[in-house]
Amino acid sequence: MSADDLIGQLLDPDSFVSWDRPPIEPVVSARYRQELLAAADRSGADESVLTGEGLLRGRRVAVIACEFAFLAGSIGVAAAERIVRAVERATERGLPLIASPTSGGTRMQEGTVAFVQMVKIAGAVAVHKSAGYPYLVYLRDPTMGGVFASWGSLGHITFAEPGAMIGFLGPRVYEALYDKPFPPGVQTAENLYRNGVIDGVVTVKVFRRIAHRAMSVASGVVVPVKTKPGWAAPVLNPATVANPTASAWDSVLSSRRPGRPGIRDLLRHVTQRVPLSGTGRGDADRTVLLALARFARQPCVVFGHDRSGQDGEHTMGPAALREARRAMVLAKELRLPLVLVIDTVGAALSKEAEERGLAPEIARCLADLVTLDTPTVSVLLGQGTGGGALALLPADRVLAARNGWLAPLPPEGASAIVFRDTEHAPEMAAAQGIRATDLLEDGVVDRIVEEYPDAADEPVAFARRTVLAIAAELAALHARDPADLRITRQARYRRIGLPGAVF
């Protein structure tokens, strides 16, 4: 796919305006100059990248696209300078930036100086992202070497062309160096998606829709939410509770019902959803979900436990927590609120989880979330077991489903520690104060979302009610200064558990 083909499929018809000037002319050998002239004649391009701006469904965007027909899309000094100027111009104009590499990597004819150009490209992209502007990447076939290892891997979201060859070290180089072929099937878009390196594998036309949704969320436009008075008032009067006699153990049993709605059910009732996948660093955990979305038109990054992905001993591991930290970074860089959904039977208990740093990842999540400079909302949707649940808790506002609960261990585990059996689980659940109403009184939870009488009996209505509750909290937090929110958040968790603390 040529750069012109990509731009034609990605942007609105006849909307592209080139930013390119004649490329700079570094000192080159006569032989290399002939290669450049031949490449220009063959490709119809004056360098290996095209830059400019256009409209994507009416929205102004900046675009950088590699032209593989020009010396295999390789990046030398002139191409790097063109890329950096385009990134800087996009930042100055406040434009979202879409980059689409297809390249063999660094231009060997220009040696180490060309190799070092990747540093300034990565630096320019970092400045663009730190200014709060989206950086979206679409990898084409092939994308290799230093290009993949720099600006090809820095996207807020990263998708790839089906069947694209993507990797760091080229198979031909590998075979020359090690005298054996590179293992097949590794450097493919599909394999990288399965392993959490990229977010998905789609055609350009599908990516156009994804980019539109992502930019719509990242625009951060907040729409006032109209709700009925008292939709999320603290429920302390037993007469107003759907099931005022429900025990803590009743909540535990309700949270475990097979038909209980989870994060996927919430996402069915949001707008402009963009599912993402993995950490972008080679980790993926199918027990969690990450997406950009709007809750009743309120933009946010959403991350949470997926109850449908948890089965038996297959529970969240270190990769899930690293993905949670990716969600925090996305929220910070895109200046979006973060919504966290807690619904887990607990973190993995396994040799692999211990060796890959489960406990340190929980600690890092807690530290990052408490100090995050963006509005945060946590939702205790169902089971909240152990450190894997706690890692997503410390937010500016915490909602809980009526039958949601939070505990250091499942009640059966607490019973095993205290009584050496599991028969006392109901007693331990009551004694530990794990119910939503207990958490409300203790200042851990701010609002309760009702169930009538159980979310499993009204999954659609409950999901819609929860989405509306989240949206209202996001709208209320929008006007607050992020630094003030962080200070208030830290003070709140400093007071929890102290005698006489008021929340």
Side-chain angles (χ1 to χ4, degrees):
M1 187 190 306
S2 70
D4 286 337
D5 289 339
L6 171 87
I7 291 169
Q9 294 183 54
L10 181 67
L11 300 182
D12 298 349
D14 302 319
S15 68
F16 180 71
V17 177
S18 176
W19 286 350
D20 294 336
R21 306 172 188 171
I24 62 173
E25 297 186 9
V27 177
V28 297
S29 67
R31 177 181 175 181
Y32 178 35
R33 181 169 298 281
Q34 287 302 313
E35 289 184 48
L36 291 173
L37 292 172
D41 183 62
R42 182 171 54 251
S43 66
D46 62 357
E47 248 301 339
S48 61
V49 289
L50 279 66
T51 72
E53 68 169 278
L55 300 178
L56 195 158
R57 294 195 174 187
R59 183 188 299 274
R60 285 181 67 195
V61 297
V63 177
I64 299 171
C66 275
E67 177 50 72
F68 193 80
F70 191 104
L71 294 181
S74 57
I75 302 301
V77 173
E81 184 63 20
R82 179 172 285 182
I83 292 169
V84 170
R85 286 178 179 176
V87 175
E88 292 173 344
R89 191 168 182 177
T91 307
E92 290 168 2
R93 296 188 176 189
L95 296 178
L97 176 57
I98 300 176
S100 184
T102 173
S103 173
T106 300
R107 192 167 297 172
M108 293 296 104
Q109 296 91 329
E110 296 183 26
T112 300
V113 171
F115 179 50
V116 176
Q117 298 301 302
M118 300 306 162
V119 176
K120 72 179 184 183
I121 298 175
V125 171
V127 171
H128 182 82
K129 292 169 66 177
S130 68
Y133 303 125
Y135 179 60
L136 317 181
V137 174
Y138 184 70
L139 304 171
R140 284 147 56 218
D141 179 39
T143 302
M144 303 297 294
V147 171
F148 183 47
S150 56
W151 55 291
S153 293
L154 293 175
H156 287 117
I157 68 172
T158 304
F159 288 78
E161 180 183 5
M165 180 181 177
I166 301 170
F168 181 57
L169 185 63
R172 184 168 58 182
V173 176
Y174 180 91
E175 189 166 354
L177 293 175
Y178 302 110
D179 198 27
K180 59 181 178 179
F182 194 81
V186 174
Q187 295 177 318
T188 66
E190 289 77 7
N191 186 54
L192 296 185
Y193 168 59
R194 285 191 294 269
N195 284 280
V197 178
I198 62 176
D199 291 308
V201 181
V202 297
T203 63
V204 178
K205 291 183 178 180
V206 174
F207 180 72
R208 170 180 158 88
R209 295 199 296 270
I210 291 171
H212 169 68
R213 292 174 191 163
M215 290 185 293
S216 296
V217 174
S219 68
V221 176
V222 174
V223 181
V225 175
K226 295 180 180 180
T227 59
K228 296 179 181 179
W231 65 268
V235 180
L236 298 176
N237 181 1
T240 67
V241 178
N243 185 8
T245 61
S247 68
W249 187 241
D250 290 330
S251 289
V252 172
L253 295 179
S254 292
S255 73
R256 293 173 176 174
R257 286 185 62 183
R260 186 175 181 85
I263 188 172
R264 290 182 182 272
D265 299 277
L266 300 188
L267 290 175
R268 290 189 183 99
H269 298 282
V270 305
T271 56
Q272 296 172 319
R273 178 176 70 249
V274 181
L276 305 178
S277 178
T279 62
R281 301 179 180 182
D283 288 306
D285 191 317
R286 302 309 176 191
T287 68
V288 293
L289 285 179
L290 170 63
L292 304 177
R294 283 183 178 266
F295 282 74
R297 301 171 71 186
Q298 308 304 306
C300 66
V301 176
V302 58
F303 175 84
H305 304 117
D306 179 11
R307 64 186 293 120
S308 67
Q310 303 174 58
D311 180 24
E313 295 183 1
H314 180 57
T315 55
M316 64 179 298
L321 296 160
R322 285 191 273 272
E323 194 165 343
R325 295 177 66 205
R326 179 193 175 190
M328 296 175 201
V329 171
L330 276 173
K332 181 179 179 180
E333 290 185 345
L334 293 174
R335 301 179 185 179
L336 291 174
L338 175 64
V339 173
L340 299 154
V341 178
I342 301 169
D343 194 4
T344 179
V345 298
L349 301 175
S350 67
K351 175 179 180 292
E352 180 186 33
E354 297 291 350
E355 291 177 346
R356 297 191 65 189
L358 177 65
E361 287 298 341
I362 292 173
R364 294 184 189 107
C365 276
L366 291 171
D368 290 351
L369 192 51
V370 168
T371 58
L372 191 64
D373 277 330
T374 196
T376 52
V377 176
S378 285
V379 185
L380 184 55
L381 197 62
Q383 299 184 80
T385 300
L390 187 68
L392 307 188
L393 178 73
D396 300 308
R397 304 294 291 171
V398 181
L399 307 179
R402 165 63 56 184
N403 289 315
W405 54 275
L406 180 70
L409 286 173
E412 295 90 340
S415 176
I417 290 175
V418 176
F419 295 102
R420 299 293 194 273
D421 62 42
T422 60
E423 305 304 317
H424 293 79
E427 180 180 336
M428 290 302 303
Q432 289 188 313
I434 70 174
R435 291 182 305 175
T437 46
D438 301 323
L439 300 172
L440 185 69
E441 293 178 1
D442 290 337
V444 176
V445 162
D446 299 298
R447 298 286 185 267
I448 291 176
V449 180
E450 278 298 347
E451 303 179 36
Y452 298 110
D454 189 307
D457 298 321
E458 46 143 14
V460 173
F462 173 77
R464 288 175 175 167
R465 192 158 55 246
T466 304
V467 167
L468 184 61
I470 294 169
E473 295 293 359
L474 292 174
L477 291 170
H478 174 71
R480 299 279 302 276
D481 178 69
D484 178 61
L485 284 173
R486 172 174 48 80
I487 293 169
T488 303
R489 189 188 313 139
Q490 289 175 298
R492 168 189 181 162
Y493 288 95
R494 176 68 176 81
R495 297 196 308 272
I496 286 179
L498 296 180
V502 179
F503 298 94

